[in-house]
Amino acid sequence: MKSKRHEKILELIRDHDIETQEQLLQQLQESGFNTTQATISRDIKQLRIIKELGPGGTYRYSATAKPVEHAFSSKLNIIFSQCVTSVDYAQNIIVIKTLPGLAQAACSALDKLDLPEVLGTLGGDDTCMIVLRDAASAASICAEIRSQITIHETRM
């Protein structure tokens, strides 16, 4: 249901000048989606919808035209910079080694990012496994995690 709602949201903002979450909620309800404003707010964040100046001089919702680079949240930065000891990948799987007891926190933080490339995570005591859609995604996210570790190491 979520993916169908996301598709409908993208269609609505493409075809209509929607300026507020309330307008988007009303359009969705008219289209048969029973949802709440809080859900709409999360959907907007997950879909990386922005407001841009429309031709009529008012701001309207718009999907980003180009892919947005993954931005690690500040909590994720803290978790990774303080608890990850190593990270590597093989094919479409990333293995993250952490300090004892922190792998599940690392997995949870990654899950909260809701990255479309991530199929799932599995956390043990000190090892986190991430399954991605393809090897290219694994390489990219692995490099991003390494950069977080490097940032912390340079501050010490």
Side-chain angles (χ1 to χ4, degrees):
M1 188 67 174
K2 180 179 176 181
S3 62
K4 290 193 182 294
R5 186 178 65 245
H6 281 189
E7 287 175 29
K8 190 62 175 178
I9 289 171
L10 292 172
E11 175 188 323
L12 288 170
I13 65 171
R14 182 185 67 236
D15 297 343
H16 303 282
D17 285 338
I18 298 178
E19 299 174 18
T20 64
Q21 289 184 8
E22 291 79 21
Q23 288 175 330
L24 182 56
L25 179 60
Q26 181 181 0
Q27 291 279 342
L28 281 169
Q29 289 173 341
E30 289 172 6
S31 299
F33 290 88
N34 187 17
T35 190
T36 65
Q37 187 274 329
T39 300
I40 298 298
S41 182
R42 283 189 298 273
D43 289 342
I44 287 171
K45 183 177 180 181
Q46 290 173 349
L47 292 169
R48 294 184 175 105
I49 293 174
I50 60 170
K51 279 196 170 183
E52 68 178 6
L53 189 59
T58 59
Y59 284 90
R60 62 184 293 266
Y61 285 116
S62 174
T64 55
K66 59 183 177 182
V68 178
E69 292 296 316
H70 298 303
F72 272 25
S73 70
S74 60
K75 284 183 183 179
L76 190 64
N77 284 337
I78 291 167
I79 289 170
F80 277 91
S81 65
Q82 307 239 337
C83 78
V84 172
T85 59
S86 70
V87 60
D88 208 348
Y89 75 99
Q91 299 297 328
N92 67 322
I93 298 174
I94 296 175
V95 175
I96 299 173
K97 296 288 191 174
T98 69
L99 296 173
L102 295 174
Q104 290 182 10
C107 285
S108 179
L110 278 163
D111 288 340
K112 296 241 185 297
L113 285 177
D114 200 26
L115 301 174
E117 301 93 334
V118 175
L119 296 176
T121 62
L122 180 64
D125 181 56
D126 64 354
T127 304
C128 176
M129 185 176 81
I130 308 160
V131 180
L132 292 108
R133 294 194 183 279
D134 54 48
S137 297
S140 172
I141 292 175
C142 188
E144 198 162 356
I145 293 169
R146 281 186 182 132
S147 75
Q148 295 306 313
I149 297 169
T150 304
I151 289 170
H152 177 69
E153 289 174 348
T154 58
R155 289 184 195 155
M156 292 179 85

